Amino acid sequence: MKEVTKMSDDFDRWYTDVVRKAELADWSGVRGMMVVRPYGWAMWEAIMRAFDDMIKESGHENWAFPLLIPREFLVKEAEHVEGFAPEVAWVTKAGGSMEELEEPLAVRPTSETIIGPLIKRYIQSHRDLPKLTNQWNSVVRWEMRSRLFLRSREFWWQEGHTFHASAEEAMEEADLILGYYRSIAEDWLAVPVLTGMKSPAETFPGAVHTLTVEGLMKDGLALQMGTSHYFGQNFARAYDISFSNKENERELCYSTSWGISTRLVGALVMAHGDDSGLIVPPKVAPIQVVLVPIFRDADSRAKVERFINSWAPELKAGGIRHRVDWRDERPGDKYAHWELKGVPIRLNVGGRDADAGQVEMVDRLSRERIIVPVSGIAKRLRNELDAFQTKLFDRAAKFQRDNTSELDTLDEVVAHFREKGGFVWTQWCGEEDEEERIKADAGGVTIRTIDQNAKASGRCLVCGRPAKFRVALAKAY
RNA sequence: CGGGGAGUAGCGCAGCCCGGUAGCGCACUUGACUGGGGGUCAAGUGGUCGCGGGUUCAAAUCCCGCCUCCCCGACCA
């Protein structure tokens, strides 16, 4: 019926099949612009709720800033503009007769350049700081090659922008958010990540440094799952965002920005899915438990329905997101359907079960059938869901371990990536030429992150000079 | 952006070369049988043939322009 290409046959096709057939998202007819369908959006909503709670807890506030950015604002921070220029979309005409605008307006590719000049009004004194803002919105980047969730011309995200009175505080902010992102990836999406700093070449345009969260997908490619940038005073200088400090001296703010996007839905698909479809971590699953009633006629249906109604309210009371699939389909169809959608736990409930006061429980990972009594079922399911979340993370962590190696020379790295993907830890001197050499020789392999915890030891894999950094290499999306 | 291919029902396709009443499979609707791992039979619904223009008595079919999608490459991550 709804056949999905096997992952081992063609990973890219498998991904597209799963995203579309599990009803996460679709293309829209406007090139590169996607429709996020309710099942996919619900996962994003779960991520939004989780992250929004985290930042509210630490004093951040949600704002809404304009979609369109005057050109004069956009071009003020030189490095930033240069970085984004190739992918900015412009509004140049408006009105019924398509009149040319005097000043073209950029559709935001990110909002640093509009928030800077606007927020300065609200920052005069050190007493106004820190200013911790965030906005949930969509941005447009005119990409040439698009993939559902991973690279579309419009995507939905949060962008946090914060302003501080000291460099230390701003850097701490960037670190704090990186920790939140790690938690979203690992605790919510069950995707283990490497965290650390980007190399200068991979640093966000205009930033002093960029911190990143990198996950590993089942095809061995790395995926950037969130970034947190420390700007120093770069943006404050460009937009004159300043405050009077305690000594009544004028001083430029230190700022940060950080974002995670709907790309994370793609990450969850590629980190956990299998040939039968999605496997959704319970904490972000729109449906955590699906009940498949089994019946043949009105009488047997009524019997099963009475049975389900006698205990299903406990699930609701227990905060378990569940659904009963009363569609008039064959049970086998429904099993396949909900497996494609990646629902963690399924309960098969028929007349025999009603008589025995039990259900048949099947989890999406093991697919083993276990008979479970309905008394105390909400608590049992809560435990099963928690265990499922842990098992999913452990499985992904094992995959990451099994696909992470430590190599010393460029030759070894090139040979490695000819055969397989994954992360490779190695030593690097810190020079951009050497970084480019890796990319050229190893077929697009890049430095995903610099280890912030371990000191470098040994020699640079390319030039053999003493290494300054321990870095993780991978091919990436 | 370069090379190649394609747009006909929700999806997958035939019809186009050689102009003349728009078809097939799946899905969908209805009914019957069925029902603990992807059912069977029957009867139905559903179309600006991607968009715009041209040629013609007549265009899904021929000609011109545009749009969108897929594959390979380039670029980007």
Side-chain angles (χ1 to χ4, degrees):
Chain A
M1 189 188 286
K2 280 188 175 173
E3 288 301 325
V4 171
T5 305
K6 277 200 164 65
M7 191 187 276
S8 51
D9 287 351
D10 185 337
F11 190 89
D12 294 352
R13 197 172 289 267
W14 168 84
Y15 174 79
T16 306
D17 276 2
V18 169
V19 167
R20 300 177 77 151
K21 289 178 177 167
E23 303 180 327
L24 298 183
D26 228 328
W27 289 119
S28 67
V30 180
R31 184 200 265 283
M33 298 273 177
M34 64 186 287
V35 180
V36 181
R37 302 182 63 184
Y39 195 62
W41 190 259
M43 294 177 197
W44 177 236
E45 280 178 330
I47 295 167
M48 283 198 275
R49 268 194 297 275
F51 185 72
D52 207 61
D53 285 349
M54 291 177 189
I55 59 172
K56 295 280 175 55
E57 188 67 29
S58 47
H60 298 74
E61 297 173 302
N62 284 324
W63 291 54
F65 292 95
L67 167 71
L68 299 178
I69 307 176
R71 177 150 66 178
E72 54 175 307
F73 284 7
L74 191 79
V75 300
K76 277 213 172 120
E77 213 293 327
E79 241 180 69
H80 182 78
V81 190
E82 198 187 327
F84 277 100
E87 47 192 29
V88 173
W90 293 92
V91 176
T92 59
K93 294 178 180 178
S97 52
M98 302 269 278
E99 279 173 63
E100 197 81 21
L101 299 182
E102 282 185 26
E103 176 78 355
L105 297 166
V107 182
R108 62 183 170 216
T110 175
S111 300
E112 280 78 3
T113 60
I114 183 98
I115 291 179
L118 293 179
I119 201 97
K120 59 192 276 192
R121 299 178 193 169
Y122 312 112
I123 300 173
Q124 275 123 38
S125 151
H126 65 89
R127 294 190 185 86
D128 297 324
L129 296 175
K131 192 66 86 187
L132 308 175
T133 80
N134 180 69
Q135 70 172 333
W136 294 95
N137 62 12
S138 70
V139 290
V140 169
R141 295 181 186 177
W142 216 247
E143 305 286 354
M144 292 309 287
R145 207 188 60 192
S146 29
R147 283 194 87 190
L148 289 165
F149 287 116
L150 302 181
R151 180 173 280 103
S152 50
R153 284 185 167 174
E154 179 186 22
F155 58 87
W156 290 264
W157 74 343
Q158 58 68 219
E159 46 176 322
H161 299 268
T162 68
F163 301 85
H164 306 263
S166 76
E168 295 70 29
E169 191 185 295
M171 283 190 268
E172 275 168 25
E173 166 77 10
D175 288 345
L176 174 77
I177 299 297
L178 189 77
Y180 290 170
Y181 286 167
R182 175 198 275 278
S183 174
I184 292 290
E186 298 194 334
D187 303 336
W188 291 76
L189 303 176
V191 179
V193 287
L194 302 183
T195 62
M197 198 174 284
K198 284 290 190 187
S199 68
E202 301 270 335
T203 296
F204 185 81
V208 172
H209 69 241
T210 289
L211 303 171
T212 184
V213 171
E214 302 276 330
L216 190 62
M217 305 296 104
K218 278 194 161 176
D219 60 350
L221 298 199
L223 182 72
Q224 184 172 298
M225 293 175 65
T227 46
S228 180
H229 317 290
Y230 167 64
F231 291 137
Q233 295 175 310
N234 291 352
F235 278 89
R237 196 173 300 113
Y239 297 100
D240 188 29
I241 310 165
S242 58
F243 65 100
S244 299
N245 64 22
K246 287 174 182 165
E247 284 74 45
N248 197 25
E249 293 160 342
R250 212 63 196 163
E251 194 175 343
L252 291 172
C253 289
Y254 298 82
S255 62
T256 78
S257 84
W258 24 275
I260 48 173
S261 74
T262 40
R263 171 179 258 205
L264 293 183
V265 178
L268 148 187
V269 174
M270 293 194 296
H272 300 310
D274 64 17
D275 283 342
S276 299
L278 294 176
I279 299 180
V280 187
K283 288 180 84 166
V284 297
I287 302 170
Q288 297 171 312
V289 176
V290 66
L291 281 62
V292 176
I294 294 154
F295 54 88
R296 41 189 96 215
D297 51 31
D299 285 350
S300 58
R301 180 187 154 125
K303 177 180 177 180
V304 172
E305 190 168 10
R306 271 196 308 277
F307 176 58
I308 288 176
N309 287 342
S310 73
W311 50 268
E314 292 174 31
L315 271 52
K316 190 175 161 81
I320 293 167
R321 295 190 288 275
H322 66 286
R323 178 184 294 185
V324 187
D325 186 357
W326 285 113
R327 291 176 307 151
D328 189 15
E329 302 286 345
R330 321 264 303 183
D333 269 315
K334 297 183 184 179
Y335 299 166
H337 176 79
W338 295 111
E339 281 172 7
L340 172 61
K341 291 213 158 200
V343 173
I345 293 175
R346 186 179 75 237
L347 303 178
N348 304 333
V349 192
R352 295 204 292 266
D353 302 306
D355 292 336
Q358 65 184 35
V359 296
E360 191 176 75
M361 180 174 76
V362 186
D363 77 86
R364 180 64 178 77
L365 274 173
S366 76
R367 298 197 207 197
E368 283 165 18
R369 293 157 178 247
I370 299 172
I371 300 298
V372 174
V374 294
S375 81
I377 191 157
K379 189 160 185 290
R380 174 67 187 270
L381 286 173
R382 175 47 55 209
N383 291 338
E384 292 291 334
L385 288 168
D386 290 348
F388 190 98
Q389 181 85 26
T390 303
K391 266 188 276 183
L392 199 57
F393 178 83
D394 290 347
R395 194 175 77 146
K398 179 178 188 324
F399 178 82
Q400 194 209 56
R401 274 198 307 280
D402 292 346
N403 288 279
T404 300
S405 2
E406 187 107 30
L407 299 174
D408 297 323
T409 68
L410 183 58
D411 286 346
E412 289 171 354
V413 167
V414 170
H416 174 93
F417 283 107
R418 246 202 303 271
E419 297 296 313
K420 46 190 170 180
F423 288 119
V424 171
W425 285 106
T426 190
Q427 310 291 325
W428 175 50
C429 65
E431 294 300 320
E432 202 163 319
D433 286 350
E434 274 67 7
E435 184 177 9
E436 288 204 6
R437 180 75 189 280
I438 298 167
K439 194 172 177 180
D441 288 14
V445 168
T446 50
I447 295 174
R448 301 316 302 160
T449 186
I450 298 168
D451 192 337
Q452 285 183 286
N453 301 316
K455 282 271 173 268
S457 61
R459 304 187 166 278
C460 172
L461 81 162
V462 179
C463 65
R465 286 178 290 186
K468 289 206 181 93
F469 303 108
R470 180 171 185 263
V471 298
L473 305 178
K475 286 188 185 171
Y477 276 94

